[in-house]
Amino acid sequence: MASGSTKIRASSSVSTHSADRPMPPIEKGALIFLHGSGDEGANMEYVLRATGFTQRMKTLGLSVHCPTALPRPYSFAGGAVSTVWFDRTNLHISAPEDKAGMDASFAVLSDLMEKLETEHGVPSSHIYLGGFSMGGGMALAALTRQMKPLAGVFAIGSFLAADSDVYKQQQQQRWRLPRLLLAHGQADMVVPYSWGEATAKKLYALSRAQKKEDEGEEMGRDDLVAFYRFPHLQHEFDRRVLSVLARWIESGAKIFPDVSKEQADGSVIRVPLGQNSSLTTARCPGGAQREAAAGTVSTSKGTSGVCSPCEVQMTLEVEEEVAADSSFPSSSSSSTPSSPPPSSFSSLSSGRVRRHRATFRVPRTKVQDFLTRPVAARGAYFSFMAGKEPDTFCLVFESPCPEETAAAVLEKVRTRLLDPHAPDGLSACTPS
C-alpha cells in the first residue's frame, strides 16, 4: 500500500477530528467525511480546511467531522496493519465484501451520529455522510445499515462490490434510499471509472424502483441519484469536486448542481444514468495512452527512462529487497542521497519488501523547490532528497504498484514545473 510520507498512527480507539472546535451545543447540521485506505482523519481535515470547504460548510451551520478508521490487518497489503474501514482480499468490483469489517466500522459511525444528536442537537436527518475512495465505499455500505434518515450520502472515487447487500435492500420495507451524489475521475488508474459508473447506475435503478413504488411518479423525474464525471481527474479530488458537493449541500441535497457551463469546457459532466445512457466525450488518456504520452516505465529490475515534454526525465529502479520487519532510516538520520527514507511501504507475500528509487532530472534552478516542498500523489505526500547530480532529486518508496506510483508522482512533478502555484488534489492511498 502506497502511503507516501504519511505515517499510520495506531491507536486502540477511533479518533474523531472535528473541523470546527469548539463545537456549539446546538448545530443546524453536520457532515462526516471519511478518508481513504491508510489515511487519517487529521489529513482529511487539513485538506478540507485548506481548500475552503470547511469554512463554506460552517457558513451553513454545519460542523465537519473526519474520523479515523481503526487500525486492522489489511489482506490486500499483505496483512500489514493499516487504517482501513474494512478488509479487502482484492481490489476489484467482483471481490466479496467484508461485511464484518463494515459492521464494525459502521458501529463507530453510528456512535458518532448518536453523539451528534444527543450532545449537539443534530438529528440524523441533518447529517451528511460520505467520503473519498474507501471512505466513500464505506458511506455507501452504510446505506444498508443506517435505518434513520440521512440528509444525503456522497462518494468520490468509490465503488460498491457487484454483489453488495445494498442492491438487495429493495426487499426491506423499512429501508429507503437517501439522496446520493457520486463523483469519479475518468482518468482514475486506481479505482477504474467504469466501477464508479456501474455503481451509480445500479443505485439509480434502485432509486427509480423505490420512487415508483412510493409515489407512482414517472421515471426520470426528481432523481435521487446523480453521478458526475471529471474527465481529467485521476484518483483524487480537488476544488472542482468539492464545489459540486458544496453546491448540492447548500440546496439541502434537494437540487443536484447544474454543471452545463463547466460541461462546455469539459471539466465536469453530469452523466445520464437512465437506460441506454452513454458517455458523450472522448476518453481521457489513461493506461496505454498515458504511457504513450509520458514514456514507459519498465517492470524489470534494471533502470528505465521516462521522458516528458515538460523538461523532466525520470528513471525508476529497484534498489533492494529486505525483510518486512527491517528498520529504515528516518529522515533525520539519512545524510546521503544514497539512503533516503522510504516514502511508502507494502509487504510482499514472501514477507519481504521491495524498495524502489525514482530519480528526477529537471532544470537546475527548479531542484530546490522540490527539495523544500513535497508533492501530493495517490493519497500521500512524497518528500524528495538531493540526487547525486546537481540537476536531480530522488525519492525512495515501496509500493505494490511501483510503476503506477512513480507515474503519478512524475505527473505531479510535471504539473509543478508548468505551474509552480498549481494546487494539488488529494489522492487516495493505493490500494484504495
Side-chain angles (χ1 to χ4, degrees):
M1 178 178 61
S3 57
S5 57
T6 302
K7 302 298 183 183
I8 297 174
R9 182 170 60 244
S11 68
S12 58
S13 62
V14 169
S15 58
T16 301
H17 304 274
S18 170
D20 296 317
R21 294 195 185 94
M23 291 193 302
I26 301 297
E27 301 167 357
K28 292 183 179 179
L31 181 142
I32 301 173
F33 206 124
L34 307 180
H35 62 75
S37 63
D39 207 349
E40 295 181 334
N43 293 336
M44 184 64 72
E45 176 186 333
Y46 172 81
V47 171
L48 296 180
R49 275 185 173 277
T51 56
F53 180 81
T54 295
Q55 295 84 334
R56 193 166 176 176
M57 294 299 100
K58 190 173 182 178
T59 62
L60 301 176
L62 301 180
S63 59
V64 179
H65 306 264
C66 302
T68 298
L70 284 171
R72 70 185 73 202
Y74 193 31
S75 297
F76 193 52
V81 175
S82 184
T83 47
V84 291
W85 298 107
F86 49 86
D87 194 24
R88 276 196 177 118
T89 56
N90 187 23
L91 180 58
H92 199 276
I93 195 170
S94 64
E97 289 184 326
D98 173 25
K99 296 179 176 61
M102 291 176 173
D103 287 343
S105 288
F106 179 73
V108 173
L109 298 178
S110 182
D111 288 345
L112 173 57
M113 288 187 280
E114 183 70 21
K115 181 178 180 180
L116 286 169
E117 182 169 5
T118 58
E119 298 184 14
H120 304 285
V122 180
S124 64
S125 59
H126 291 188
I127 295 176
Y128 297 88
L129 175 65
F132 172 62
S133 193
M134 178 182 274
M138 183 63 228
L140 295 177
L143 292 173
T144 189
R145 295 165 171 83
Q146 172 69 15
M147 293 297 104
K148 293 183 179 181
L150 293 170
V153 173
F154 61 92
I156 304 168
S158 310
F159 70 99
L160 280 173
D163 64 346
S164 172
D165 283 349
V166 173
Y167 303 136
K168 306 169 187 176
Q169 287 303 302
Q170 185 180 354
Q171 303 166 357
Q172 302 293 329
Q173 293 184 355
R174 293 193 333 164
W175 184 81
R176 286 296 177 264
L177 196 70
R179 297 181 71 83
L180 303 173
L181 186 148
L182 295 88
H184 213 109
Q186 194 177 349
D188 195 329
M189 297 178 66
V190 179
V191 176
Y193 170 83
S194 59
W195 298 357
E197 185 179 38
T199 298
K201 286 185 175 181
K202 283 191 173 185
L203 291 172
Y204 176 81
L206 188 63
S207 74
R208 298 315 301 159
Q210 170 185 303
K211 198 162 187 65
K212 186 176 182 180
E213 175 185 335
D214 289 349
E215 306 174 15
E217 294 193 7
E218 295 179 6
M219 301 291 281
R221 293 183 58 191
D222 194 23
D223 291 340
L224 293 176
V225 182
F227 181 53
Y228 292 87
R229 169 162 50 100
F230 292 80
H232 306 290
L233 201 65
Q234 299 183 50
H235 193 59
E236 58 193 353
F237 65 85
D238 58 14
R239 287 179 173 84
R240 294 172 301 167
V241 180
L242 292 178
S243 176
V244 170
L245 177 60
R247 288 159 59 189
W248 178 60
I249 294 173
E250 286 168 348
S251 76
K254 292 180 173 60
I255 302 174
F256 291 114
D258 178 4
V259 293
S260 54
K261 292 183 179 180
E262 296 91 333
Q263 185 166 324
D265 62 21
S267 61
V268 55
I269 298 166
R270 182 175 173 183
V271 180
L273 297 175
Q275 292 184 350
N276 301 322
S277 63
S278 60
L279 302 182
T280 57
T281 61
R283 181 173 178 173
C284 292
Q289 293 171 306
R290 182 177 174 186
E291 289 184 357
T296 302
V297 183
S298 170
T299 57
S300 68
K301 290 190 176 182
T303 322
S304 58
V306 176
C307 299
S308 84
C310 302
E311 297 186 276
V312 56
Q313 292 183 323
M314 182 187 78
T315 58
L316 176 66
E317 57 188 330
V318 175
E319 187 168 78
E320 61 179 312
E321 186 174 306
V322 297
D325 59 353
S326 293
S327 298
F328 296 112
S330 64
S331 298
S332 59
S333 64
S334 178
S335 58
T336 65
S338 61
S339 59
S343 289
S344 55
F345 80 95
S346 65
S347 297
L348 302 178
S349 58
S350 61
R352 301 180 67 80
V353 293
R354 183 170 294 164
R355 188 187 300 183
H356 291 79
R357 174 190 292 268
T359 301
F360 301 84
R361 185 181 300 275
V362 299
R364 188 175 302 185
T365 56
K366 304 291 185 179
V367 171
Q368 188 61 32
D369 180 53
F370 289 95
L371 297 181
T372 56
R373 293 173 54 204
V375 299
R378 309 194 77 172
Y381 288 96
F382 291 82
S383 298
F384 302 103
M385 298 190 70
K388 296 180 179 179
E389 300 180 28
D391 59 349
T392 64
F393 54 89
C394 62
L395 165 71
V396 171
F397 66 97
E398 301 116 35
S399 169
C401 307
E403 292 81 20
E404 293 182 6
T405 299
V409 175
L410 173 63
E411 184 165 328
K412 295 296 186 179
V413 170
R414 182 188 299 117
T415 298
R416 184 178 294 179
L417 286 174
L418 289 172
D419 180 5
H421 304 293
D424 283 322
L426 178 70
S427 310
C429 296
T430 305
S432 173

